[in-house]
Amino acid sequence: MAATLQFPANVSSFNNYNDAVPDWTQREVSTGTTIMAVEFDGGVVMGADSRTTTGAYIANRVTDKLTPIHERIFCCRSGSAADTQAIADAVTYQLGFHSIELDEAPLVQTAASLFKDMCYRYREELMAGIIVAGWDKRRGGQVYTVPVGGMMTRQPVSVGGSGSSYIYGYVDSNYKTGMSKEECLKFTAGALTLAMERDGSSGGVVRLAVISELGVERQVILGNQLQQFSTA
Amino acid sequence: MNEMSVNGEWRSSKVSTGTTIIAVRYDGGVVIGSDSRASMGEEYVSSRVINKVIQIHDKIFCCMAGSLADAQAVTNAVIHQLSFHSMQMDEPPLVQSAAAIMRSFCYTHRDELSAGFIVAGWDRKRGPQVFQVSLGGMIVEQEFTIGGSGSTYIYGYADAKFKPGMTREECLTFTTNALSLAMDRDNVSGGVVHLVIVTEKGAERQLIPGNKLPVLQRLA
């Protein structure tokens, strides 16, 4: 089990190993993370862990990575905390303006496109993996993924962040079309729990959000309330 | 698309078993499984049918991961040393002896080697056992273990699905499903599934061709 560490290409401080100062003084703040979103008939379920790291130090153990972009559109952020916050702020502004011009609620696809435009245009400077999800009147619940590099695609279920590698097998085998809201919540919480157990950069609590026509419901599952999986 | 990938970066890459390997212990034996792909770089499959589960003694097997050259060299050295040890002791070797010999090689040459192993089998003293001998020479005994590049994608699945006290059939299903999922996601794992079941009676090999693997994904 030689775990391959993935460091972003632009973190140049990696090689300046200095014993005299703590590790975190030389590292960028990163949401090394696990994020996930699932569509169901009537809305979406989004989930994320709550750990933000600077190197080996956990800068925030109760981070909220589920960021509102509009009333019924949220995004899950992974990668550099600074980059994703800046992009989310910019898109929130652009989408708000667009919504006022249109005089109606914006489409989830529009939000995703705005994210994609920014992530692609500045792909050399950014380190951001974003999942955009929400509900709109035209197409109901939708999940769009905008990974590092700036591609955008719609998927019924999407996982992201450093912890996502460990749960591809679990997600592939447990997802079925036509799940109810409760099944999606259990599926998401289970997947995030498993990833948080294995990924050093993910942990803390599980934050969940359900977005539907009725609005947004948020939940937190604390560390000691997470589902227990038996392992060797 | 840079020049290297157009002209074949794989030409200058070493052969690696980008791989998925797994071993599970049950009451009565062990089930060992692996995929069958050997890759050079990220793009070229140098062999689609290699066997990564090597018999190092009658009832002891090892799975290779990492650099194929290193893994083969270490495995051959271990087979030699283990057979000599077994002749000296005049009895079948213990699984933990095999794992210890493997570990000693990996640790002594840890700066030059780039290979990880799973050693599993059955012996009369402690029955079925599974050991993981990882890259730098750490050894740890586990109920089940996964390894290789494809294993990252099935940690969640394996943690969720494994329960202690499974039967032989449940272990076979667990192993085949896990390998299938990993092979679906990891581009350097693939081909067929090689399975070996080792019990007191001996070792039995099975092969599941690619088109007979379980399909677990319900997405497009």
Side-chain angles (χ1 to χ4, degrees):
Chain A
M1 185 195 67
T4 16
L5 286 172
Q6 283 171 330
F7 278 100
N10 57 2
V11 175
S12 55
S13 56
F14 176 45
N15 291 317
N16 305 338
Y17 181 62
N18 184 356
D19 252 338
V21 297
D23 169 63
W24 53 263
T25 56
Q26 298 187 302
R27 305 286 199 153
E28 194 189 333
V29 177
S30 152
T31 48
T33 188
T34 315
I35 51 177
M36 183 167 167
V38 194
E39 289 177 10
F40 65 92
D41 180 23
V44 291
V45 170
M46 305 174 73
D49 72 302
S50 70
R51 182 173 289 184
T52 305
T53 48
T54 22
Y57 175 65
I58 298 173
N60 186 352
R61 62 187 173 101
V62 284
T63 323
D64 185 6
K65 302 179 192 180
L66 302 176
T67 309
I69 305 294
H70 205 264
E71 213 180 316
R72 286 184 181 70
I73 306 175
F74 270 60
C75 75
C76 309
R77 302 179 290 114
S78 75
S80 154
D83 287 349
T84 54
Q85 282 177 358
I87 298 168
D89 287 347
V91 171
T92 306
Y93 165 76
Q94 292 169 348
L95 197 68
F97 194 79
H98 167 75
S99 172
I100 291 171
E101 281 186 316
L102 229 53
D103 197 24
E104 63 179 41
L107 298 177
V108 186
Q109 183 179 9
T110 311
S113 284
L114 288 169
F115 270 108
K116 179 261 292 173
D117 284 347
M118 192 160 292
C119 290
Y120 179 70
R121 180 180 300 252
Y122 299 109
R123 66 192 182 283
E124 301 298 321
E125 290 101 62
L126 292 173
M127 175 57 64
I130 296 174
I131 299 179
V132 185
W135 181 93
D136 64 47
K137 219 167 46 175
R138 188 183 293 186
R139 294 199 182 99
Q142 299 144 73
V143 170
Y144 293 87
T145 181
V146 182
V148 168
M151 151 185 117
M152 190 252 290
T153 186
R154 182 179 173 188
Q155 295 180 311
V157 59
S158 185
V159 294
S162 55
S164 67
S165 318
Y166 304 106
I167 50 172
Y168 275 107
Y170 180 82
V171 168
D172 284 347
S173 59
N174 281 68
Y175 174 76
K176 4 186 234 306
T177 43
M179 290 199 286
S180 68
K181 180 179 98 166
E182 280 64 34
E183 288 174 311
C184 285
L185 279 164
K186 186 154 185 278
F187 171 55
T188 306
L192 289 169
T193 305
L194 289 162
M196 283 155 61
E197 293 280 290
R198 286 291 183 179
D199 181 27
S201 312
S202 301
V205 305
V206 168
R207 292 198 188 275
L208 295 165
V210 182
I211 309 177
S212 64
E213 182 171 9
L214 305 163
V216 179
E217 285 168 48
R218 300 206 56 166
Q219 291 178 29
V220 180
I221 308 181
L222 300 179
N224 59 350
Q225 296 163 347
L226 293 171
Q227 184 179 357
Q228 303 274 17
F229 294 95
S230 82
T231 27
Chain B
M1 188 148 61
N2 59 20
E3 248 192 65
M4 276 294 258
S5 69
V6 167
N7 290 330
E9 198 183 306
W10 60 265
R11 279 178 232 266
S12 49
S13 304
K14 298 193 275 221
V15 179
S16 147
T17 50
T19 189
T20 315
I21 49 179
I22 176 172
V24 193
R25 177 177 83 203
Y26 67 95
D27 179 29
V30 290
V31 174
I32 309 166
S34 81
D35 71 305
S36 70
R37 181 173 289 185
S39 50
M40 287 169 75
E42 302 296 320
E43 343 163 320
Y44 181 63
V45 176
S46 57
S47 171
R48 54 188 173 86
V49 286
I50 69 161
N51 185 6
K52 303 179 197 183
V53 185
I54 309 291
Q55 185 161 25
I56 55 180
H57 207 267
D58 290 348
K59 298 196 185 89
I60 309 177
F61 284 74
C62 84
C63 306
M64 313 189 278
S67 153
L68 191 48
D70 288 348
Q72 283 181 343
V74 172
T75 308
N76 290 337
V78 170
I79 292 173
H80 175 86
Q81 239 189 340
L82 194 64
S83 73
F84 192 67
H85 167 75
S86 173
M87 278 187 254
Q88 277 189 315
M89 305 298 288
D90 196 24
E91 63 177 28
L94 300 175
V95 184
Q96 73 188 65
S97 310
I101 296 172
M102 182 75 81
R103 184 271 304 268
S104 137
F105 267 106
C106 290
Y107 181 72
T108 312
H109 303 288
R110 65 192 179 281
D111 293 333
E112 294 114 57
L113 292 173
S114 163
F117 302 89
I118 295 177
V119 179
W122 186 94
D123 64 48
R124 217 171 45 175
K125 185 172 164 197
R126 290 176 59 214
Q129 295 146 75
V130 170
F131 290 88
Q132 184 184 54
V133 180
S134 57
L135 215 59
M138 175 184 85
I139 184 173
V140 58
E141 185 183 358
Q142 296 178 297
E143 288 265 340
F144 82 95
T145 189
I146 54 181
S149 59
S151 69
T152 46
Y153 305 106
I154 49 172
Y155 272 106
Y157 178 82
D159 285 345
K161 275 288 189 252
F162 175 79
K163 328 179 276 301
M166 293 198 286
T167 63
R168 182 193 130 120
E169 265 43 11
E170 286 173 324
C171 283
L172 279 166
T173 313
F174 171 71
T175 306
T176 316
N177 288 350
L179 284 168
S180 196
L181 286 163
M183 283 156 65
D184 256 351
R185 284 289 182 179
D186 184 24
N187 63 330
V188 287
S189 296
V192 306
V193 163
H194 288 290
L195 289 171
V196 175
I197 305 129
V198 186
T199 59
E200 181 174 0
K201 300 205 193 64
E204 181 199 324
R205 276 197 181 271
Q206 286 183 18
L207 185 141
I208 307 181
N211 60 348
K212 300 266 179 12
L213 286 173
V215 177
L216 293 141
Q217 254 210 55
R218 275 158 278 215
L219 291 164

